[in-house]
Coordinates of all heavy atoms in Angstrom, one line a residue:
Chain A
N3 N -241.3 -71.1 11.4 CA -242.1 -70.1 10.6 C -241.5 -70.1 9.2 O -240.3 -69.8 9.1 CB -242.0 -68.7 11.2 CG -243.2 -68.4 12.1 OD1 -244.3 -68.3 11.6 ND2 -242.9 -68.1 13.4
E4 N -242.3 -70.5 8.3 CA -241.8 -70.5 6.9 C -242.5 -69.3 6.1 O -243.7 -69.3 6.1 CB -242.2 -71.8 6.2 CG -241.5 -73.0 6.9 CD -241.8 -74.4 6.3 OE1 -243.0 -74.6 6.1 OE2 -240.9 -75.2 6.2
M5 N -241.7 -68.4 5.6 CA -242.2 -67.2 5.1 C -241.6 -66.9 3.7 O -240.6 -67.3 3.4 CB -241.8 -66.0 6.0 CG -242.4 -66.2 7.4 SD -241.7 -64.9 8.6 CE -240.3 -65.8 9.2
I6 N -242.4 -66.1 3.0 CA -241.8 -65.5 1.7 C -242.2 -64.1 1.6 O -243.3 -63.7 2.0 CB -242.3 -66.3 0.5 CG1 -241.5 -65.9 -0.8 CG2 -243.8 -66.2 0.2 CD1 -241.5 -66.8 -1.9
F7 N -241.2 -63.2 1.2 CA -241.4 -61.8 1.0 C -241.3 -61.6 -0.5 O -240.2 -61.9 -1.1 CB -240.4 -61.0 1.7 CG -240.4 -61.2 3.2 CD1 -239.9 -62.3 3.8 CD2 -240.9 -60.2 4.0 CE1 -239.9 -62.5 5.2 CE2 -241.0 -60.3 5.4 CZ -240.5 -61.5 6.0
A8 N -242.3 -61.1 -1.2 CA -242.3 -61.0 -2.6 C -242.8 -59.7 -3.1 O -243.8 -59.1 -2.6 CB -243.1 -62.2 -3.2
G9 N -242.2 -59.2 -4.2 CA -242.6 -57.9 -4.8 C -241.8 -57.5 -5.9 O -241.2 -58.4 -6.6
F10 N -241.8 -56.2 -6.3 CA -240.9 -55.7 -7.3 C -239.5 -55.5 -6.8 O -239.3 -55.2 -5.6 CB -241.4 -54.4 -7.9 CG -242.7 -54.4 -8.6 CD1 -243.8 -53.7 -8.3 CD2 -242.8 -55.2 -9.8 CE1 -245.0 -53.7 -9.0 CE2 -244.0 -55.3 -10.5 CZ -245.1 -54.5 -10.1
G11 N -238.5 -55.7 -7.7 CA -237.2 -55.3 -7.3 C -237.1 -53.8 -7.0 O -237.7 -53.1 -7.7
G12 N -236.5 -53.5 -5.9 CA -236.5 -52.0 -5.5 C -237.4 -51.7 -4.4 O -237.4 -50.7 -3.8
Q13 N -238.4 -52.6 -4.1 CA -239.3 -52.4 -3.0 C -238.8 -52.8 -1.7 O -239.4 -52.5 -0.7 CB -240.6 -53.2 -3.3 CG -241.6 -52.5 -4.3 CD -242.9 -53.3 -4.4 OE1 -242.9 -54.5 -4.5 NE2 -244.0 -52.6 -4.3
G14 N -237.6 -53.4 -1.7 CA -237.0 -53.7 -0.4 C -237.4 -55.1 0.1 O -237.4 -55.3 1.4
V15 N -237.9 -56.0 -0.7 CA -238.3 -57.3 -0.2 C -237.2 -58.1 0.4 O -237.3 -58.8 1.4 CB -239.1 -58.1 -1.2 CG1 -240.5 -57.5 -1.4 CG2 -238.4 -58.3 -2.5
L16 N -236.0 -58.0 -0.4 CA -234.9 -58.8 0.1 C -234.4 -58.3 1.4 O -234.1 -59.0 2.4 CB -233.7 -58.8 -0.9 CG -234.1 -59.4 -2.3 CD1 -232.8 -59.5 -3.1 CD2 -234.7 -60.8 -2.2
S17 N -234.3 -56.9 1.6 CA -233.8 -56.4 2.8 C -234.7 -56.5 4.0 O -234.3 -56.7 5.1 CB -233.3 -54.9 2.6 OG -234.4 -54.2 2.0
M18 N -236.0 -56.5 3.8 CA -236.9 -56.7 4.9 C -236.8 -58.2 5.4 O -236.8 -58.4 6.6 CB -238.3 -56.3 4.6 CG -239.1 -57.1 3.6 SD -240.6 -56.3 3.0 CE -241.7 -56.5 4.4
G19 N -236.7 -59.1 4.5 CA -236.5 -60.5 4.9 C -235.2 -60.7 5.7 O -235.1 -61.4 6.7
K20 N -234.1 -60.0 5.2 CA -232.8 -60.1 5.8 C -232.9 -59.6 7.2 O -232.3 -60.1 8.2 CB -231.8 -59.4 4.9 CG -230.4 -59.9 5.0 CD -229.4 -59.0 4.2 CE -229.5 -59.3 2.8 NZ -228.4 -58.5 2.0
L21 N -233.6 -58.4 7.3 CA -233.6 -57.8 8.6 C -234.4 -58.6 9.7 O -233.9 -58.8 10.8 CB -234.4 -56.4 8.5 CG -234.2 -55.4 9.6 CD1 -232.8 -54.8 9.6 CD2 -235.3 -54.3 9.6
L22 N -235.5 -59.2 9.2 CA -236.2 -60.1 10.1 C -235.4 -61.3 10.5 O -235.4 -61.7 11.7 CB -237.5 -60.6 9.4 CG -238.4 -61.4 10.3 CD1 -239.1 -60.6 11.3 CD2 -239.5 -62.2 9.4
A23 N -234.7 -61.9 9.5 CA -233.9 -63.1 9.9 C -232.8 -62.7 10.8 O -232.5 -63.5 11.8 CB -233.3 -63.7 8.6
Y24 N -232.2 -61.6 10.6 CA -231.1 -61.1 11.5 C -231.6 -60.9 12.9 O -231.0 -61.3 13.9 CB -230.5 -59.8 11.0 CG -229.2 -59.4 11.7 CD1 -228.0 -59.8 11.2 CD2 -229.2 -58.7 12.8 CE1 -226.8 -59.5 11.9 CE2 -228.1 -58.3 13.5 CZ -226.8 -58.7 13.0 OH -225.7 -58.4 13.7
A25 N -232.8 -60.3 13.0 CA -233.4 -60.0 14.3 C -233.7 -61.3 15.0 O -233.4 -61.5 16.2 CB -234.7 -59.2 14.2
A26 N -234.2 -62.3 14.3 CA -234.5 -63.6 14.9 C -233.2 -64.3 15.4 O -233.2 -65.0 16.4 CB -235.2 -64.5 13.9
M27 N -232.2 -64.2 14.6 CA -230.9 -64.8 14.9 C -230.4 -64.2 16.2 O -229.8 -64.8 17.1 CB -229.8 -64.6 13.8 CG -228.5 -65.2 14.1 SD -227.3 -64.8 12.9 CE -226.6 -63.2 13.5
K28 N -230.6 -62.8 16.4 CA -230.1 -62.1 17.6 C -230.9 -62.6 18.8 O -230.4 -62.6 19.9 CB -230.4 -60.6 17.4 CG -229.2 -59.9 16.6 CD -228.0 -60.0 17.5 CE -226.8 -59.4 16.8 NZ -225.6 -59.6 17.6
E29 N -232.1 -63.1 18.6 CA -232.9 -63.7 19.7 C -232.5 -65.2 19.9 O -233.2 -65.8 20.7 CB -234.4 -63.6 19.4 CG -234.9 -62.1 19.4 CD -236.4 -62.0 19.2 OE1 -237.1 -63.1 19.1 OE2 -236.9 -60.9 19.2
G30 N -231.6 -65.6 19.2 CA -231.1 -67.0 19.5 C -231.7 -68.1 18.7 O -231.6 -69.3 18.9
R31 N -232.6 -67.7 17.7 CA -233.2 -68.7 16.9 C -232.4 -69.1 15.7 O -231.4 -68.4 15.3 CB -234.6 -68.1 16.4 CG -235.8 -68.8 16.9 CD -236.2 -68.3 18.3 NE -236.6 -66.9 18.2 CZ -237.8 -66.4 17.6 NH1 -238.6 -67.3 17.0 NH2 -238.1 -65.2 17.7
E32 N -232.7 -70.2 15.0 CA -232.1 -70.7 13.8 C -232.8 -69.9 12.7 O -234.0 -69.8 12.7 CB -232.3 -72.2 13.6 CG -231.6 -73.0 14.7 CD -230.1 -72.8 14.7 OE1 -229.5 -72.6 13.7 OE2 -229.5 -72.9 15.9
V33 N -232.0 -69.5 11.7 CA -232.6 -68.8 10.5 C -232.0 -69.2 9.2 O -230.9 -69.7 9.2 CB -232.4 -67.3 10.7 CG1 -233.2 -66.7 11.9 CG2 -231.0 -66.9 10.8
S34 N -232.8 -69.0 8.1 CA -232.2 -69.1 6.8 C -232.9 -68.1 5.9 O -234.1 -67.8 6.1 CB -232.4 -70.5 6.2 OG -233.7 -70.8 5.9
W35 N -232.2 -67.6 5.0 CA -232.7 -66.6 4.0 C -232.2 -67.0 2.6 O -231.0 -67.1 2.4 CB -232.1 -65.2 4.4 CG -232.4 -64.0 3.6 CD1 -233.4 -63.2 3.6 CD2 -231.6 -63.5 2.4 NE1 -233.3 -62.2 2.7 CE2 -232.2 -62.4 1.9 CE3 -230.3 -63.9 1.9 CZ2 -231.7 -61.7 0.8 CZ3 -229.9 -63.2 0.8 CH2 -230.5 -62.1 0.3
M36 N -233.2 -67.2 1.8 CA -232.8 -67.6 0.4 C -233.4 -66.7 -0.6 O -234.7 -66.6 -0.7 CB -233.4 -69.1 0.3 CG -233.3 -69.6 -1.1 SD -231.6 -70.0 -1.6 CE -231.4 -71.6 -0.9
P37 N -232.6 -66.0 -1.3 CA -233.1 -65.0 -2.3 C -233.4 -65.7 -3.6 O -232.8 -66.7 -4.0 CB -232.0 -64.0 -2.4 CG -230.8 -64.9 -2.3 CD -231.1 -66.0 -1.3
S38 N -234.4 -65.1 -4.4 CA -234.4 -65.4 -5.8 C -233.3 -64.6 -6.4 O -233.1 -63.5 -6.0 CB -235.8 -65.0 -6.4 OG -235.9 -63.6 -6.3
Y39 N -232.5 -65.2 -7.3 CA -231.5 -64.4 -7.8 C -231.4 -64.5 -9.3 O -230.4 -64.6 -9.9 CB -230.1 -64.7 -7.2 CG -229.6 -66.1 -7.4 CD1 -228.7 -66.3 -8.5 CD2 -230.0 -67.1 -6.7 CE1 -228.2 -67.6 -8.7 CE2 -229.6 -68.4 -7.0 CZ -228.7 -68.6 -8.0 OH -228.2 -69.9 -8.2
G40 N -232.6 -64.6 -9.9 CA -232.6 -64.7 -11.4 C -232.2 -63.4 -12.0 O -231.6 -62.5 -11.3
P41 N -232.4 -63.2 -13.3 CA -232.0 -61.9 -14.0 C -232.9 -60.8 -13.6 O -233.5 -60.1 -14.4 CB -232.1 -62.3 -15.4 CG -233.0 -63.4 -15.5 CD -233.0 -64.1 -14.2
E42 N -233.0 -60.5 -12.3 CA -233.9 -59.5 -11.8 C -233.3 -58.1 -11.8 O -232.1 -58.0 -11.8 CB -234.4 -59.7 -10.3 CG -235.6 -60.7 -10.3 CD -235.1 -62.1 -9.8 OE1 -233.9 -62.2 -9.6 OE2 -235.9 -63.0 -9.7
M43 N -234.1 -57.1 -11.9 CA -233.7 -55.7 -11.9 C -234.8 -54.9 -11.3 O -235.8 -55.4 -11.0 CB -233.4 -55.2 -13.3 CG -234.6 -55.4 -14.2 SD -234.2 -54.8 -15.9 CE -234.7 -56.2 -16.8
R44 N -234.5 -53.6 -11.1 CA -235.5 -52.7 -10.6 C -236.7 -52.8 -11.4 O -236.6 -52.7 -12.7 CB -235.0 -51.3 -10.6 CG -235.8 -50.3 -9.8 CD -235.1 -49.0 -9.7 NE -233.9 -49.1 -8.9 CZ -233.7 -48.8 -7.7 NH1 -234.7 -48.3 -7.0 NH2 -232.5 -48.9 -7.1
G45 N -237.9 -53.1 -10.8 CA -239.1 -53.2 -11.6 C -239.5 -54.6 -12.0 O -240.6 -55.0 -12.2
G46 N -238.5 -55.6 -11.9 CA -238.8 -57.0 -12.1 C -239.3 -57.6 -10.8 O -239.4 -56.9 -9.8
T47 N -239.6 -58.9 -10.8 CA -240.0 -59.5 -9.5 C -238.9 -60.0 -8.8 O -237.9 -60.5 -9.3 CB -241.0 -60.6 -9.8 OG1 -240.4 -61.6 -10.6 CG2 -242.3 -60.1 -10.4
A48 N -239.0 -60.0 -7.4 CA -237.9 -60.5 -6.6 C -238.6 -61.1 -5.3 O -239.7 -60.7 -5.0 CB -237.0 -59.4 -6.1
N49 N -238.0 -62.1 -4.7 CA -238.5 -62.6 -3.5 C -237.4 -63.3 -2.7 O -236.3 -63.6 -3.2 CB -239.7 -63.6 -3.7 CG -239.2 -64.9 -4.4 OD1 -238.4 -65.6 -3.8 ND2 -239.7 -65.2 -5.6
C50 N -237.7 -63.4 -1.4 CA -236.8 -64.2 -0.5 C -237.6 -65.1 0.4 O -238.7 -64.7 0.9 CB -235.8 -63.4 0.2 SG -236.5 -62.2 1.4
M51 N -237.1 -66.3 0.6 CA -237.8 -67.2 1.5 C -237.0 -67.1 2.9 O -235.8 -67.1 2.9 CB -237.6 -68.7 1.1 CG -238.3 -68.9 -0.2 SD -237.9 -70.6 -0.8 CE -238.6 -70.6 -2.4
V52 N -237.7 -66.9 3.9 CA -237.1 -66.8 5.2 C -237.7 -67.9 6.2 O -238.9 -68.0 6.3 CB -237.3 -65.4 5.9 CG1 -236.8 -65.3 7.3 CG2 -236.7 -64.3 5.0
N53 N -236.8 -68.6 6.8 CA -237.3 -69.6 7.9 C -236.7 -69.1 9.2 O -235.6 -68.8 9.3 CB -236.7 -71.0 7.6 CG -237.3 -71.6 6.4 OD1 -238.5 -71.5 6.1 ND2 -236.6 -72.3 5.6
V54 N -237.6 -69.2 10.2 CA -237.2 -68.9 11.6 C -237.7 -70.1 12.4 O -238.8 -70.5 12.3 CB -237.8 -67.6 12.1 CG1 -237.5 -67.4 13.6 CG2 -237.3 -66.4 11.3
S55 N -236.8 -70.7 13.2 CA -237.1 -71.9 13.9 C -236.4 -72.0 15.2 O -235.3 -71.4 15.4 CB -236.9 -73.1 13.1 OG -237.2 -74.3 13.8
D56 N -236.9 -72.8 16.1 CA -236.2 -73.1 17.4 C -235.3 -74.2 17.2 O -234.4 -74.4 18.0 CB -237.2 -73.4 18.5 CG -238.2 -72.3 18.8 OD1 -237.7 -71.1 18.7 OD2 -239.4 -72.5 19.0

Side-chain angles (χ1 to χ4, degrees):
Chain A
N3 262 298
E4 299 178 316
M5 299 171 271
I6 189 163
F7 299 76
F10 289 122
Q13 279 184 314
V15 287
L16 299 188
S17 50
M18 65 196 287
K20 209 184 283 187
L21 197 73
L22 183 74
Y24 190 92
M27 184 186 85
K28 278 291 175 186
E29 290 185 3
R31 247 87 61 74
E32 299 294 331
V33 294
S34 72
W35 175 89
M36 172 69 84
S38 62
Y39 66 96
E42 277 104 359
M43 56 181 128
R44 192 172 299 257
T47 59
N49 69 62
C50 62
M51 299 171 190
V52 175
N53 289 321
V54 173
S55 177
D56 298 324

